[in-house]
Amino acid sequence: MTSTSDSSSVWGGRFSARPSDVMDAINVSIDVDRRLWAQDLAGSRAHADMLAAQGIISAEDAATIRQGLSQIEDEIRGGRFPFRTEFEDIHMNVEARLRELVGPAAGRLHTARSRNDQVAVDFRLWVREACDRTIGQLRDLQRSLLARAEQEAETLMPGFTHLQPAQPVTFGHHLMAYVEMFGRDAGRFGDARTRMNESPLGAAALAGSPFPIDREATARALGFDRPTANSLDSVSARDFALEALAAASICAGHLSRLAEEIVIWMTPQFGFIRLSDAYTTGSSIMPQKKNPDAAELVRAKTGRVAGSFVALSTVMKGLPLAYSKDMQEDKPPVFEAFDALDLALAAMTGMVGDLTPDRERMAAAAGSGFSTATDLADWLVRELNMPFRDAHHVTGRAVKLAEQKGTGLDQLSLSELQSLEAAITDAVYSVLSPQASAGSRLSYGGTAPQQVRAQIARWKELLA
């Protein structure tokens, strides 16, 4: 809209005075929604073509409108388009410029259309594209993790619970856990995309249109599966954006978990991995420092993404049907969330490809904290037919003895083990090494290298 009361204003006939400067400041959204320009032009082209096909406007006017929209696209791509705050939003900026370029025919484009269904279709198109882009980025990250997991399928490391050494696992197995997580993330974005793929164009302001429009045609032209079935819902629904943000929040949480592990693994106390200069920074005062700032910033992006979901949820809470201007605030959190997620995914994919594991350090840590204690208990059950709870008790005594002596379980003598359970034989030592422990976990999805390679092969096929 313009800030004047002349007939060029979207509501110039009704108002006789211009808005206050404060009203302009709170109402104008062009600095945010200009990002929807490509979607706005696509929707306008589909709408103009449909109007002409239905005989609502002439073919000549439709051709003129199309020519003008093409010129506008060229101007925007070339950085020459005059985005103006007096026209409030991207829709009115395009319409005003179209009128300047092609004259009265431009006024026919808004026939059987409202800004309410116009912004709804533009926003759906943008969020749909964001979901597609994010799925592609997740697949790239999964492929990077797969490549690294394949290299490290036999690399031992400690598996943790409560961040305490629990049982030996392989580094490849650990990385494959994130392949699974990010696979579910991609599925969530895909599910959200499926549900949002309905076109609100043609719902008009809230009640539909009296013109003989063809909503199926515009839906097809814009790549939607079908038109939305209720005009009120069409212009007032933003759950498609909320669902995308929910998927983004979960995904950001998974990225944050991996980022946290990278930060921990890089500490001198762990020393499991190194990152190159490409993904680290130094200190202004401590010359020895090499900080995993890329991982820390990925971890921090979670706050932005999750905050965006809360922000949009709060905007939408309690709004009556149909459209309210509150919904102008739907786009900033969505844009910010996907910007943050886009950068975090790119950074994490780069770090996974960049990191170098210290295999010797990881293998040494894999045997710390009596990590093969469960293997001893399982051996007692398998070989001596001991009830597991009894085996658990014997193993606990073995751990206590090793702790008192300052040794590992595999360094206890046979006589010392037999003092705890007379039936133990020297065959028990075959299960007390970290390598034997990891290699024995042959159940589906287990950490044994052959199981890890089987899952890598499965995911390679899924991602092919």
Side-chain angles (χ1 to χ4, degrees):
M1 73 166 189
T2 67
S3 296
T4 64
S5 59
D6 62 31
S7 61
S8 66
S9 170
V10 68
W11 49 64
R14 171 64 177 86
F15 287 72
S16 57
R18 68 175 305 279
S20 69
D21 291 341
V22 172
M23 181 60 192
D24 275 345
I26 199 172
N27 192 48
V28 171
S29 62
I30 186 59
D31 288 343
V32 173
D33 60 32
R34 63 194 297 171
R35 292 178 64 161
L36 297 175
W37 69 264
Q39 294 76 23
D40 197 69
L41 294 178
S44 291
R45 289 188 180 105
H47 188 64
D49 289 348
M50 180 276 295
L51 292 176
Q54 294 298 105
I56 299 171
I57 66 174
S58 70
E60 293 76 15
D61 281 341
T64 300
I65 289 168
R66 264 197 162 274
Q67 180 182 357
L69 292 174
S70 294
Q71 185 170 340
I72 289 171
E73 180 174 2
D74 290 342
E75 290 179 353
I76 295 176
R77 291 191 186 280
R80 303 184 308 275
F81 185 84
F83 290 106
R84 289 176 283 186
T85 57
E86 63 263 31
F87 294 122
E88 185 183 328
D89 58 27
I90 185 61
H91 322 296
M92 297 314 301
N93 265 266
V94 168
E95 183 173 324
R97 181 60 177 153
L98 186 63
R99 181 178 288 273
E100 291 171 355
L101 292 173
V102 305
R108 300 191 184 281
L109 176 59
H110 211 54
T111 306
R113 187 175 72 169
S114 164
R115 279 196 299 177
N116 292 355
D117 62 336
Q118 189 177 0
V119 68
V121 74
D122 291 359
F123 199 26
R124 278 190 193 238
L125 288 170
W126 193 95
V127 176
R128 188 179 71 181
E129 291 168 16
C131 287
D132 289 342
R133 184 176 63 252
T134 304
I135 290 170
Q137 288 181 292
L138 282 164
R139 296 312 188 201
D140 289 342
L141 175 54
Q142 286 181 290
R143 291 185 185 97
S144 186
L145 287 162
L146 282 172
R148 179 65 65 188
E150 193 164 28
Q151 295 170 354
E152 311 300 335
E154 297 187 20
T155 301
L156 290 175
M157 69 174 291
F160 298 94
T161 61
H162 308 276
L163 204 56
Q164 302 295 313
Q167 293 177 336
V169 297
T170 66
F171 189 34
H173 187 60
H174 194 109
L175 295 173
M176 288 301 294
Y178 286 101
V179 173
E180 295 289 336
M181 290 186 202
F182 294 128
R184 292 192 297 273
D185 288 330
R188 273 182 280 271
F189 283 109
D191 290 344
R193 188 201 195 282
T194 297
R195 266 182 291 280
M196 76 177 66
N197 205 35
E198 297 180 343
S199 173
L201 190 57
L206 76 163
S209 173
F211 292 92
I213 60 174
D214 185 350
R215 295 190 64 208
E216 295 281 354
T218 51
R220 284 193 304 271
L222 294 170
F224 290 108
D225 295 329
R226 64 191 69 83
T228 50
N230 183 281
S231 60
L232 285 167
D233 179 54
S234 301
V235 300
S236 53
R238 293 297 184 270
D239 54 332
F240 66 90
L242 282 167
E243 187 172 8
L245 287 178
S249 298
I250 296 170
C251 180
H254 290 157
L255 287 168
S256 183
R257 295 183 75 175
L258 180 51
E260 169 71 1
E261 296 206 294
I262 289 173
V263 171
I264 291 172
W265 293 340
M266 272 197 68
T267 62
Q269 290 77 11
F270 273 74
F272 285 0
I273 65 166
R274 296 184 299 278
L275 286 174
S276 77
D277 295 351
Y279 292 94
T280 55
T281 64
S283 166
S284 64
I285 190 173
M286 295 170 285
Q288 83 280 11
K289 295 294 293 298
K290 193 170 188 179
N291 301 320
D293 281 8
E296 292 173 4
L297 289 166
V298 167
R299 189 174 58 185
K301 295 294 184 187
T302 307
R304 287 184 176 271
V305 179
S308 293
F309 176 79
V310 173
L312 184 54
S313 298
T314 305
V315 167
M316 297 306 298
K317 181 191 71 64
L319 290 186
L321 297 181
Y323 182 85
S324 297
K325 200 58 179 276
D326 309 51
M327 292 160 69
Q328 183 168 285
E329 294 296 317
D330 56 0
K331 287 167 283 297
V334 173
F335 292 161
E336 182 174 14
F338 277 97
D339 285 349
L341 189 61
D342 179 88
L343 188 55
L345 283 165
M348 185 56 73
T349 302
M351 281 187 286
V352 169
D354 180 77
L355 66 85
T356 301
D358 187 330
R359 296 185 179 97
E360 291 184 6
R361 181 104 178 217
M362 295 171 86
S368 66
F370 312 106
S371 64
T372 59
T374 305
D375 298 273
L376 173 56
D378 289 342
W379 185 90
L380 294 172
V381 172
R382 284 196 315 272
E383 302 301 324
L384 305 185
N385 198 30
M386 186 180 292
F388 182 79
R389 281 301 164 206
D390 293 344
H392 189 285
H393 183 70
V394 171
T395 301
R397 291 165 58 203
V399 168
K400 184 176 181 180
L401 177 60
E403 189 174 42
Q404 290 170 344
K405 292 174 63 65
T407 66
L409 287 173
D410 58 342
Q411 294 173 301
L412 292 175
S413 68
L414 180 59
S415 61
E416 287 171 328
L417 289 171
Q418 288 176 335
S419 71
L420 304 174
E421 171 51 56
I424 292 177
T425 69
D426 60 2
V428 73
Y429 292 103
S430 67
V431 302
L432 293 183
S433 72
Q435 187 171 13
S437 173
S440 71
R441 308 292 170 175
L442 290 164
S443 58
Y444 181 81
T447 194
Q450 67 189 77
Q451 276 295 321
V452 174
R453 291 192 178 96
Q455 294 303 322
I456 291 170
R458 179 177 71 90
W459 270 107
K460 281 184 173 181
E461 185 175 345
L462 287 172
L463 295 175

